[in-house]
Amino acid sequence: MSQTDSKVLILGALAGVAGIGLAVACYQGYKTKRRASLPAHYLHTNNELATGITLMGSPGLPGDQMAVMDRLEALLQCVSELKDEMKALKNSLPIRQGHVAEELRGAERLEVHRVAPLHRNTPIRRKRAGSHIAGARAGGRSSEEAESEGGYITALTDSDEEVQSDDEQWEERQETTDKLTSLLERIDSLHQGTEADKRESLLILTTQREEFGQNSAYLWRLIRAHCDVHDISGTLEEKKNHAETGKKVGEDAVALNPTCAESHQWYAIMCGIMAEYDTVQNKIKNGYIFKDHLDKAIELKPQDPLSYYLLGRWCYAVAQLSWLERKVATALFGEPPSATVEDALKNFLKVEDLHPGYSKLNYVFLAKCYRDIGYRKKAREICEVAGSIPSVTKEDEEAQKELDLLFPDLGVFNPKGLPQSSLKQNKCLT
């Protein structure tokens, strides 16, 4: 509310008592004729209050006008007193503010002194806690008995022993990350090594599962290690054991992280391996699981040639199913799997597109697909390219056995020892 609005309200109230025009005129006309007896206040012409004299009644004024004048003078006196009090309060505010600030600082120091020993803002390291507690006990007092000069507990409580600083927690996480990174690098190196290296890889991973078993990168490598050892195992029982264990790890891996492409990929591979040891019903069931997780792996990581190679193998196998096998699949699952040789060829070509010369086995199945759809010339050219690749791994040896069966069927002499022709390779894959 403005100062003008306040004045209007005051004048309006006075006008309601006796009439504003008459009251103001009488006050201005007779204020100089009154005699003083007690100190009071009056208004200058600029509406400011000033020290003055209380006016006594003068003869000749009507009674009602005198009443209005008395009320007006009482109001002015109250306003003047209020103004003096406000000035005094204003002058004392800086002093009071300093006193209040000093009191607050004193109270804060007292509160920090009282609370800090039990509720520290900065966590205490375990080693420091242990040394303090040991010192307190060596002095013949428990941690609860040790007190500061102000009477507050200063020794560490039992809960402080378990508190770690943010820096210490970060250091522990970093140490774990570095340890896992080093482990995975070593495992990847052993995967490319000899049979003894692959067995060592599985042994190392198995002993580390308790620590890293909730990490996807660790789990899919554990599946891969079981697959590697399965392939080099000498007995059926050992092979089946690794297939079953690897499949269970795969189930854990895809459940832990459904967005990890490698987990889906290697779980699919283990399902395919388990088909060798299951009943007909489970073989078909594992075939469906294999396809579902392979599709998911390609969706999550579409540039991985291994997934397309596996999908090509699945399509080729489905395309070779007999009428009886399709009927069994229909009876058990309602709808048999569907794929053609053309589907398989498309995936094997995708492998070559992503990674030229990916594997000897990929060439073998390219040749089989071209043979089956009637492109025998291209099939022979690819066989010649594949035959010129030296057999280094066990997979290469399997590929060479397949080639030895293909050569007579396609009318190709065994081209072992012939140099690989890049021109012929590019020609036969177009």
Side-chain angles (χ1 to χ4, degrees):
M1 183 182 293
S2 66
Q3 185 177 5
T4 303
D5 293 336
S6 302
K7 291 180 179 179
V8 170
L9 291 178
I10 294 173
L11 293 177
L14 292 175
V17 176
I20 185 60
L22 180 61
V24 174
C26 292
Y27 178 69
Q28 290 179 345
Y30 292 99
K31 65 181 179 179
T32 57
K33 297 179 181 179
R34 308 186 72 177
R35 297 291 183 266
S37 62
L38 294 173
H41 298 84
Y42 64 90
L43 285 171
H44 285 301
T45 55
N46 61 357
N47 291 329
E48 293 182 357
L49 289 171
T51 305
I53 305 298
T54 302
L55 301 179
M56 303 301 294
S58 300
L61 284 177
D64 55 351
Q65 293 181 14
M66 286 299 298
V68 172
M69 294 302 297
D70 291 340
R71 292 184 181 183
L72 179 60
E73 198 155 337
L75 177 62
L76 293 174
Q77 184 176 351
C78 290
V79 173
S80 178
E81 292 174 355
L82 179 61
K83 183 176 181 180
D84 290 341
E85 291 178 4
M86 292 297 293
K87 287 182 178 180
L89 180 61
K90 183 178 180 180
N91 292 333
S92 67
L93 279 178
I95 300 175
R96 291 180 179 273
Q97 183 178 4
H99 291 166
V100 171
E102 186 63 29
E103 291 177 2
L104 288 176
R105 284 194 293 269
E108 184 178 3
R109 287 195 296 270
L110 179 61
E111 187 66 20
V112 170
H113 178 69
R114 180 177 301 173
V115 174
L118 293 178
H119 305 282
R120 292 177 172 82
N121 291 329
T122 303
I124 306 300
R125 294 182 181 273
R126 291 179 181 175
K127 293 182 180 179
R128 186 180 300 173
S131 63
H132 277 277
I133 293 173
R137 289 176 179 172
R141 296 184 300 172
S142 66
S143 61
E144 289 78 5
E145 294 172 341
E147 298 182 354
S148 66
E149 295 180 359
Y152 300 102
I153 297 175
T154 56
L156 299 177
T157 61
D158 293 339
S159 61
D160 289 324
E161 297 183 33
E162 302 301 324
V163 178
Q164 294 179 320
S165 68
D166 291 340
D167 289 343
E168 188 175 15
Q169 293 175 3
W170 182 88
E171 290 173 0
E172 288 185 357
R173 289 195 298 268
Q174 188 63 36
E175 182 180 353
T176 301
T177 301
D178 293 343
K179 183 178 179 181
L180 177 61
T181 301
S182 177
L183 171 66
L184 298 183
E185 289 176 353
R186 184 183 180 190
I187 294 302
D188 289 342
S189 177
L190 291 173
H191 170 66
Q192 302 294 332
T194 63
E195 293 185 1
D197 291 334
K198 293 178 180 181
R199 291 187 181 275
E200 181 184 356
S201 172
L202 179 59
L203 178 62
I204 294 172
L205 287 170
T206 302
T207 58
Q208 297 293 324
R209 184 164 185 179
E210 183 176 352
E211 183 173 0
F212 300 113
Q214 296 302 307
N215 184 278
S216 298
Y218 163 85
L219 283 177
W220 72 257
R221 285 174 171 83
L222 180 57
I223 308 170
R224 185 183 66 182
H226 279 290
C227 179
D228 289 342
V229 177
H230 165 273
D231 293 343
I232 62 178
S233 296
T235 64
L236 180 63
E237 182 180 358
E238 187 180 1
K239 284 180 175 291
K240 185 177 180 180
N241 179 61
H242 286 295
E244 291 175 343
T245 305
K247 185 181 177 183
K248 291 177 181 178
V249 176
E251 292 172 353
D252 295 339
V254 296
L256 174 66
N257 184 6
T259 62
C260 179
E262 289 82 1
S263 293
H264 288 281
Q265 182 186 80
W266 285 99
Y267 177 50
I269 292 173
M270 294 309 301
C271 288
I273 292 176
M274 271 302 299
E276 300 178 22
Y277 311 102
D278 267 334
T279 62
V280 175
Q281 179 177 351
N282 286 335
K283 284 182 180 180
I284 299 174
K285 180 180 179 181
N286 283 324
Y288 283 103
I289 297 174
F290 176 93
K291 177 63 163 53
D292 289 342
H293 287 277
L294 202 55
D295 288 343
K296 188 63 176 179
I298 292 174
E299 176 187 339
L300 294 170
K301 194 175 181 181
Q303 300 304 313
D304 189 342
L306 176 58
S307 294
Y308 291 100
Y309 169 74
L310 295 172
L311 185 57
R313 291 286 301 266
W314 183 87
C315 290
Y316 190 82
V318 169
Q320 305 302 314
L321 288 178
S322 66
W323 175 86
L324 179 60
E325 289 170 328
R326 292 180 186 275
K327 286 296 182 181
V328 172
T330 302
L332 293 175
F333 299 99
E335 183 179 355
S338 176
T340 64
V341 175
E342 286 79 4
D343 295 330
L345 177 61
K346 179 181 177 181
N347 284 288
F348 291 130
L349 289 173
K350 180 68 174 179
V351 173
E352 191 65 21
D353 180 56
L354 292 174
H355 193 301
Y358 179 73
S359 74
K360 193 168 183 174
L361 265 176
N362 194 64
Y363 284 135
V364 169
F365 281 94
L366 274 171
K368 287 184 176 182
C369 289
Y370 278 125
R371 178 199 63 184
D372 293 348
I373 63 177
Y375 289 14
R376 296 178 66 85
K377 182 179 179 180
K378 282 189 176 182
R380 285 195 295 268
E381 291 173 347
I382 293 175
C383 279
E384 291 175 359
V385 173
S388 65
I389 298 175
S391 297
V392 178
T393 66
K394 190 172 183 177
E395 184 184 79
D396 293 338
E397 294 174 358
E398 293 176 2
Q400 188 59 50
K401 292 178 182 179
E402 294 282 346
L403 283 173
D404 292 340
L405 296 175
L406 275 174
F407 289 143
D409 185 35
L410 294 172
V412 178
F413 292 104
N414 192 333
K416 289 183 180 180
L418 294 178
Q420 181 177 353
S421 171
S422 59
L423 178 62
K424 187 175 294 185
Q425 177 184 1
N426 293 334
K427 179 181 177 182
C428 69
L429 294 177
T430 57

